[in-house]
Amino acid sequence: MDTQIFKPDEVTAAAALLKAGQLVAFPTETVYGLGADATNEHAVKQVYAAKGRPSDNPLIVTVTGPDMVTQYTEPLSATAKQLMQHFWPGSLTLILNLRPGTLSKAVTGGLSTAAFRNPQNQTTLNLIQAAGVPIVGPSANTSGKPSPTLAEHVYHDLKGKIAGIVDDGPAAVGVESTILDLTADVPTILRPGAVTEEDLAAVIGTVRSNHHKVGATEVPKAPGMKYKHYAPNAQVYIVDQVTDWPAALAWAQTLDGPVGAMALDDVLAANSLPANVEAFSLGQNVASASHRLFDGLRHFDLESPVKTILTQGFAATGLGAAYMNRLNKSAGQTHFQK
């Protein structure tokens, strides 16, 4: 299969592929998603095959707004309407109860709920509008690998497996959306993202966080709760404190072969890097670090043959909660120990 690259003004052609049951990757402000007609069970099953994704890992449904959501869900609660009004379009995914028979179990992982998102990317909103249907939108990468923040990342992983990619440049945020479960007794964050717990609480009051990894026989309500995610080929080590970097770099010098170091500019500038260590800048703060995290992991996968990557950790508060959620999964919870 040839994988076509579409410009933002070519979404009508890309939408025609979606309507024909083909797979097309699309841009969002968070990461690139892999699109298929959410109402076409055969097309949705192709998403799992293209990504190598377990079939009990539910898919996010990407929509143009609340009107499209209500075609598939039970009546929206006042809380859901309030969140949509405040955060949509944007980096917030809401898990809602479905009306029976509206979406295939291939979308929901067999659950009676589904996750909906209205992205802040006009190109993709135009794509969905042209297709006339919601589209599923898991990250457009090989399952378990770092999420794609560039069309080039998608092409590397999925060329020949999907019909097209809509290229709208780099993703602005760089980590996937916050997932909030509105079917729980208390609204519960299942995956942190750019919309923080504090942001949500300011709008709707009490919010709970539940980032546990589900058991082998449990069906996850949201992506990222059960299976290995975001992992490059190299082993990632989290360097928790800025004061740990001299020891981490001294250890890196003892290793055979090249080592990657991903950190803020001031950390890299303050430390002398051994000859076998290649630096990748995470910018000036946690916001830029979140934006560049997946790009850095993919850089070392694709352009530098490292077997070890040292990566700066942050406090898991605010946007740092999303960053550390992804980094801990990339590292398999492996931290550098002095």
Side-chain angles (χ1 to χ4, degrees):
M1 178 188 298
D2 289 332
T3 299
Q4 301 179 63
I5 306 298
F6 297 100
K7 297 176 182 178
D9 61 359
E10 298 175 319
V11 294
T12 301
L17 292 175
L18 289 171
K19 288 190 283 187
Q22 300 296 308
L23 308 187
V24 176
F26 61 91
T28 77
E29 79 280 15
T30 56
V31 300
Y32 274 73
L34 180 55
D37 177 353
T39 67
N40 181 333
E41 184 173 21
H42 177 72
V44 171
K45 287 181 177 179
Q46 290 184 62
V47 170
Y48 289 97
K51 283 176 58 69
R53 181 186 179 97
S55 61
D56 67 345
N57 202 6
L59 302 174
I60 289 173
V61 181
T62 311
V63 297
T64 54
D67 288 346
M68 186 172 278
V69 172
T70 56
Q71 296 176 40
Y72 304 95
T73 64
E74 298 286 0
L76 297 178
S77 66
T79 298
K81 292 177 182 177
Q82 193 174 12
L83 288 166
M84 290 175 182
Q85 182 176 11
H86 196 89
F87 293 107
W88 279 14
S91 304
L92 177 64
T93 295
L94 299 175
I95 295 181
L96 303 167
N97 287 311
L98 292 172
R99 282 190 287 111
T102 55
L103 288 175
S104 163
K105 291 182 179 180
V107 175
T108 67
L111 300 173
S112 61
T113 59
F116 292 86
R117 177 154 119 80
N118 176 207
Q120 194 172 27
N121 181 284
Q122 191 59 49
T123 296
T124 286
L125 296 180
N126 293 342
L127 175 69
I128 299 170
Q129 190 70 37
V133 291
I135 59 177
V136 295
S139 55
N141 60 313
T142 300
S143 189
K145 290 300 181 183
S147 296
T149 57
L150 296 168
E152 291 90 332
H153 297 162
V154 181
Y155 190 78
H156 173 269
D157 280 17
L158 300 178
K159 63 181 177 182
K161 297 180 180 180
I162 65 175
I165 302 168
V166 180
D167 185 355
D168 195 27
V173 176
V175 293
E176 300 88 346
S177 60
T178 305
I179 297 180
L180 184 68
D181 184 5
L182 292 184
T183 69
D185 292 338
V186 176
T188 301
I189 297 173
L190 300 184
R191 182 179 73 186
V195 177
T196 67
E197 183 173 347
E198 294 79 9
D199 294 333
L200 295 166
V203 175
I204 61 171
T206 303
V207 176
R208 180 185 300 155
S209 289
N210 181 6
H211 308 155
H212 82 289
K213 187 173 182 179
V214 304
T217 60
E218 188 179 352
V219 177
K221 267 192 169 182
M225 296 181 68
K226 185 173 183 179
Y227 297 99
K228 185 179 180 181
H229 273 67
Y230 320 123
N233 295 327
Q235 174 61 56
V236 175
Y237 289 82
I238 302 170
V239 182
D240 292 300
Q241 304 295 330
V242 170
T243 53
D244 291 340
W245 275 95
L249 292 169
W251 172 70
Q253 192 172 16
T254 69
L255 301 178
D256 292 331
V259 174
M262 297 172 55
L264 297 183
D265 290 339
D266 58 356
V267 172
L268 295 174
N271 290 279
S272 178
L273 300 186
N276 68 322
V277 173
E278 177 187 343
F280 184 92
S281 168
L282 291 178
Q284 305 294 321
N285 50 43
V286 69
S288 62
S290 298
H291 181 220
R292 299 182 183 184
L293 175 63
F294 290 145
D295 196 26
L297 296 176
R298 281 189 170 268
H299 164 77
F300 287 118
D301 252 5
L302 304 179
E303 301 176 35
S304 186
V306 304
K307 295 182 179 178
T308 303
I309 304 173
L310 300 170
T311 306
Q312 184 171 350
F314 292 91
T317 58
L319 185 56
Y323 175 90
M324 290 306 298
N325 173 271
R326 302 333 187 261
L327 180 55
N328 270 302
K329 291 177 180 179
S330 298
Q333 306 287 337
T334 303
H335 296 251
F336 169 75
Q337 303 291 332
K338 289 197 286 187

